[in-house]
Amino acid sequence: MNPETAYLRQLATRVVEAATAQLDIRAALLAGSTGRGNVDCFSDLDLLFYVERVPTNEEVEAIREAVGGENPLRRWEATDFANGEEFQLGGVRTEVSFTLVERVEWLLDQLLVELDDIASPKQKFLSGLAEGMPLYGDDLIRRWQTRVRGYPEAFRLEMIRRHWNFFPLWYYGEAMSRRDTELWRLDVLLEGVFNLLGVLAAINRIYFARFELKRTRDLISKMAVAPPQLADRIEALVHLPAQDAAREFGQLVAETAELVSHEVPDATVELLFPLDARQQPWHLPEDAVGS
């Protein structure tokens, strides 16, 4: 454990002690980099509390005051199922949230069983729960973690289906390199890369949300099944000339399609244009008007 992680975990312990002294807390989870143990000097402190009753604003403020938190910021209004705030603690931006236990159970059902909106930032909730560090109420947290880490096969198939969506840069590469398309080209290239990562995450049963993807190489390092040198090749895509980038992206899609077919044979990996197809230019006839 590096010194930064140790420091933030000490702060987290103070907040948990203050919260449990004032409220009936069912469980507390330390999420994000502090829970994983890879804190740096830009990391925040994210504490998730699970309760049977949503605390009032005054109760949340009392916990902050008990630990000496400063400069509070309320970025959302309290709801019937959650409340919380941000503040500075020991120089660190600290976020505390209080969510009903029944709401968490409902979210797990929606995402893992109903497969509702799974290709969304909500997967950050799943990865945070799976990777988080229980600080209180271990039994409840461990039960949820066991469920989340199971990564249902239906969820895996749906993730691949939703992310197997690539604009065929390999087909239109020459035309795009000749035209003033750079912003659009980069946009569809990045969209394709995010979808590629989503598919590979599903193959490896890893939860994925492009929202706040702060550590790409860390994510890729967890992928036991992936194209070789994936991180380097992805980073190189935005620096390569347009046609080279289109070819390399197509190659990554081809390699990923092979991995899907081998690892998840029930998944469908069809493409609008074959990976070896290229758009062919047409030629103006010699007798065309104005020639």
Side-chain angles (χ1 to χ4, degrees):
M1 183 191 310
N2 63 25
E4 292 82 4
T5 298
Y7 175 62
L8 263 62
R9 287 184 177 179
Q10 289 175 1
L11 295 179
T13 299
R14 285 172 51 193
V15 178
V16 171
E17 290 174 349
T20 54
Q22 299 193 46
L23 296 175
D24 183 13
I25 303 293
R26 283 285 306 278
L29 181 76
L30 184 57
S33 58
T34 314
R36 293 191 301 269
N38 58 347
V39 169
D40 60 29
C41 60
F42 296 101
S43 295
D44 302 327
L45 182 59
D46 296 312
L47 272 168
L48 312 177
F49 293 96
Y50 304 106
V51 294
E52 298 292 350
R53 176 185 66 82
V54 176
T56 64
N57 290 346
E58 291 74 19
E59 288 172 320
V60 175
E61 292 166 5
I63 293 170
R64 183 235 310 151
E65 292 171 357
V67 297
E70 300 176 327
N71 303 320
L73 173 64
R74 191 172 296 277
R75 293 199 301 172
W76 64 91
E77 294 296 325
T79 68
D80 291 338
F81 53 81
N83 198 5
E85 71 172 18
E86 298 178 11
F87 52 85
Q88 293 290 318
L89 180 61
V92 177
R93 190 195 72 86
T94 300
E95 180 178 337
V96 294
S97 64
F98 300 83
T99 306
L100 291 179
V101 170
E102 65 180 31
R103 178 67 177 185
V104 176
E105 301 278 5
W106 178 83
L107 274 173
L108 290 175
D109 286 341
Q110 289 297 109
L111 292 168
L112 298 177
V113 180
E114 301 298 329
L115 306 179
D116 178 50
D117 201 21
I118 64 173
S120 75
K122 291 180 182 178
Q123 280 207 45
K124 196 169 185 289
F125 156 73
L126 294 174
S127 61
L129 184 55
E131 298 174 349
M133 177 181 177
L135 294 183
Y136 188 82
D138 287 22
D139 289 347
L140 179 60
I141 298 293
R142 298 298 185 195
R143 175 164 63 81
W144 286 341
Q145 288 181 330
T146 297
R147 184 179 181 189
V148 171
R149 290 169 181 169
Y151 206 102
E153 186 64 18
F155 186 99
R156 193 185 192 200
L157 287 167
E158 183 64 6
M159 273 291 291
I160 293 172
R161 186 188 74 80
R162 295 201 187 191
H163 285 286
W164 192 261
N165 181 24
F166 306 106
F167 181 85
L169 281 168
W170 57 88
Y171 181 79
Y172 293 110
E174 182 178 355
M176 295 183 79
S177 69
R178 293 189 183 189
R179 297 173 177 174
D180 183 21
T181 64
E182 189 62 7
L183 289 178
W184 178 51
R185 184 188 72 85
L186 289 173
D187 182 53
V188 296
L189 176 62
L190 290 174
E191 181 73 19
V193 168
F194 280 125
N195 280 332
L196 196 74
L197 288 172
V199 171
L200 290 167
I203 293 176
N204 289 274
R205 299 183 186 277
I206 297 170
Y207 294 106
F208 171 77
R210 58 188 287 180
F211 171 70
E212 290 190 348
L213 182 55
K214 299 173 182 176
R215 291 180 169 89
T216 305
R217 287 183 176 270
D218 181 61
L219 171 70
I220 292 173
S221 70
K222 299 173 186 176
M223 297 178 179
V225 179
Q229 300 176 319
L230 178 61
D232 290 338
R233 293 167 70 185
I234 282 178
E235 288 187 358
L237 286 174
V238 296
H239 302 294
L240 290 171
Q243 288 196 63
D244 294 340
R247 283 191 293 269
E248 176 63 7
F249 177 68
Q251 181 60 33
L252 283 170
V253 171
E255 293 173 28
T256 301
E258 290 183 8
L259 294 174
V260 173
S261 297
H262 182 265
E263 299 290 331
V264 195
D266 289 338
T268 301
V269 285
E270 297 178 349
L271 296 167
L272 180 61
F273 292 101
L275 291 162
D276 59 352
R278 300 291 183 270
Q279 183 185 29
Q280 299 300 315
W282 55 269
H283 302 282
L284 190 68
E286 293 183 1
D287 59 350
V289 175
S291 60

